[in-house]
Each structure stands twice: as C-alpha cells, then as structure tokens.
Amino acid sequence: MSKLPDIHVPDHYNYVGVFLTLSCNISCSYCINHLVGLQKGRKLLTAEEWAKGLSRLKMTNKVPLTLQGGEPTIHKHFYEIVNSLPAEFDIDLLTNIQFSPETFAQKIDKNRINRQAPYAPIRVSYHPETMDLRDTLNKVVELKAYGFNVGVYGVRHPSQIKEVEEAKELFASNGIDFRFKDFLGMHDNQLYGEYKYPGAVFGQEKRSCLCKTSELLIDPFGKVFRCHHDLYNNKNPVGDLLDPDYQIEDIFRPCDYFGNCNPCDVKVKNNRFQQFGHTSVEIRL
C-alpha cells in the first residue's frame, strides 16, 4: 500500500480515540455506546489499513493513541495492529481484560504500552453486573507481574455503588490503582453527571449550534467524526483516515443535535494531564 500524506494533529487536541470495534464480549445495561447495529454488514479495517492510516498522524504534543471500543482486544487483528504502529507513538488501551494475560504478554512487549503519565496506560473497566471481581483482580495482578502498568476504573452507577466501593478496597489492598468514573445518563428519571452546557443531554428539544472538537475520533472503518454522538450514530463523518485528501480542519461546525449530545462530549472532566474542567467540545449557541 502506497504511503499517504501526513495529517497534522492540532497542538491543543487532548485525545486521539481509535475505536477498533464497537462490538463487546460483555453486555452492561448502562453501556453508553448505544450500539444499534452500526457494524452490521461492514468490514473492519485490517492491521495493515490501521497502520497505514494511523501512521499519517503527526503530533507534537505526544497525545497517545487510545485503543478502545466496544472491546478493542476482540478485533481479530488486535495484536498485529498494536505491533504495526509506528514506534514513536504512545499507546493507551481501554479494556475489560477478558483476555489471557499470558497470551497478551507473549504477543506485546511490555515497553510498547508503557509511558510516563498521571494514570496507567492500560485502563481496565470493572463492571460488577457482568464481570467476576476475583477473576478481574487475578488477571490485573498477572498482567502487572508481566511488567505492564495497569489501573482499574469502576463506574459509580446508582445501583452499584456498594459493589464498586468494595472493589476499590480489594484492588487497593493489592496495591492496584482503582479510580471511580461518574455514571453519565438517566436513572430513575434523574440525570447523572456534570455537564458544561445545560440542556445538551436528554434535552426537551434539539437546537442548532456551532461545535468545535478537541479530539480526533476514528471509528472501526477509518471514518473520522467530530463527536461521540456522530460516531455512534454514524452521522456526518468529517473525513476518512485512508482518504489521501483528508486533513483535520480545526473549525467550528454547524450541528442540529444540541439537546441530544452524547454525555462523553459535554461532561466536565479531567484532561490528559488530570486537570479538571475540560470538555471534549466547545459549543456556541
């Protein structure tokens, strides 16, 4: 495959999200991905295609490529994708760790996913309703024994507060960093989460706005989207990683979906330096 032109990622971008697949090997009732048949009949990119597309990215601010999903490790070319990425890239992994740590360590060098940061580059999501606590702990301990830097996160869903707090105690007693993530969305007619723009999520009506992203979001087929709402709903891609003419436009874009934003786009959160107050998008109404 011939080399494609470089893509220069703006210095202020906080995040590069690489969604290898939107499928998952567990099924949580509160999953925010809203996977409504988006992948049916569509062929995922191969390791060669991912390597060709992602190698175009030129970043001066050392933003890591965050491999995620769905569950990224169930992509049939997962290990080939990781090992084919340019050596200068930092890599993060979001996973539910339903894989064999031994196989993972055999196929990926511990230095390939390892960088200096305020949080672990391998971040395991623990979900009490679908995952066994002891099995998760054992796999994390084993993966750390192979030299990988691993942290665990638990969603503080209103129905599972007790379970995730008990999990934190168990992981902490084993020397493993465990952090809480806020539940985002509706539960028992109450909206959870802190959002920068009132009425942006689960609003009574949709409004038009201008929106600008600080993230590069790439779906399993190489298409680039301005926000999680558009990615999950397969609406209005702004480019294609394998299109030789694609370049990032750091601009405000018109949008007619304010009020139906994905919570991930408008929640107030930490940036990659763990400084609180960041949002993925800037909106002008």
Side-chain angles (χ1 to χ4, degrees):
M1 299 176 75
S2 58
K3 189 177 185 302
L4 295 170
D6 292 345
I7 296 173
H8 295 277
V9 179
D11 285 346
H12 72 86
Y13 268 36
N14 181 67
Y15 184 71
V16 177
V18 181
F19 292 75
L20 295 184
T21 173
L22 294 179
S23 297
C24 190
N25 45 9
I26 61 176
S27 181
C28 300
S29 61
Y30 51 83
C31 180
I32 202 168
N33 285 20
H34 306 304
L35 312 181
V36 191
L38 182 58
Q39 291 191 183
K40 287 185 177 179
R42 301 184 68 184
K43 188 176 180 181
L44 301 181
L45 295 188
T46 65
E48 184 181 13
E49 289 169 328
W50 274 119
K52 181 181 180 181
L54 292 174
S55 65
R56 303 176 66 187
L57 303 182
K58 302 304 174 186
M59 296 172 284
T60 59
N61 59 355
K62 295 295 286 180
V63 178
L65 300 183
T66 301
L67 306 181
Q68 60 190 80
E71 171 52 40
T73 63
I74 66 173
H75 190 296
K76 66 179 180 179
H77 303 304
F78 171 74
Y79 294 113
E80 292 87 345
I81 291 169
V82 173
N83 291 321
S84 67
L85 293 175
E88 65 268 21
F89 283 177
D90 287 331
I91 301 172
D92 281 8
L93 173 65
L94 307 185
T95 179
N96 58 31
I97 205 168
Q98 300 300 295
F99 53 79
S100 160
E102 180 180 8
T103 300
F104 190 95
Q106 289 173 346
K107 293 183 177 292
I108 296 179
D109 187 282
K110 66 174 185 275
N111 296 311
R112 192 65 191 94
I113 308 181
N114 189 13
R115 64 188 182 88
Q116 295 299 315
Y119 48 84
I122 298 180
R123 299 191 287 283
V124 174
S125 295
Y126 169 65
H127 303 284
E129 70 178 26
T130 55
M131 296 168 63
D132 181 85
L133 179 57
R134 285 287 174 180
D135 180 64
T136 304
L137 172 65
N138 291 339
K139 286 184 174 180
V140 171
V141 169
E142 185 178 355
L143 198 58
K144 285 177 67 69
Y146 284 117
F148 292 94
N149 186 359
V150 188
V152 184
Y153 288 73
V155 177
R156 290 178 61 88
H157 189 278
S159 68
Q160 299 172 12
I161 299 295
K162 180 175 180 288
E163 288 83 351
V164 294
E165 289 181 345
E166 289 175 347
K168 178 178 176 63
E169 292 182 7
L170 178 62
F171 280 97
S173 68
N174 283 271
I176 297 166
D177 182 29
F178 187 106
R179 306 186 189 189
F180 295 125
K181 295 188 72 173
D182 292 333
F183 168 66
L184 304 175
M186 299 293 295
H187 180 74
D188 288 343
N189 295 315
Q190 180 178 343
L191 178 62
Y192 288 82
E194 181 179 351
Y195 305 101
K196 182 175 181 178
Y197 303 100
V201 296
F202 301 97
Q204 296 300 310
E205 61 180 355
K206 290 189 291 186
R207 298 170 59 186
S208 296
C209 67
L210 293 174
C211 185
K212 182 180 178 180
T213 186
S214 64
E215 300 181 343
L216 182 63
L217 303 177
I218 308 165
D219 86 349
F221 321 106
K223 296 204 176 293
V224 180
F225 292 84
R226 61 185 172 181
C227 64
H228 291 83
H229 168 275
D230 285 3
L231 186 150
Y232 290 136
N233 290 283
N234 196 24
K235 293 180 179 293
N236 306 315
V238 297
D240 189 313
L241 203 60
L242 297 178
D243 178 358
D245 294 325
Y246 171 64
Q247 291 293 326
I248 295 172
E249 294 181 283
D250 188 24
I251 60 174
F252 281 89
R253 298 178 184 275
C255 175
D256 296 322
Y257 296 102
F258 183 88
N260 194 27
C261 296
N262 186 288
C264 291
D265 293 314
V266 293
K267 71 173 180 177
V268 183
K269 60 184 178 181
N270 292 333
N271 64 13
R272 65 190 179 94
F273 302 108
Q274 294 298 282
Q275 299 164 328
F276 187 72
H278 176 74
T279 52
S280 299
V281 299
E282 180 182 353
I283 294 176
R284 293 177 179 172
L285 292 169

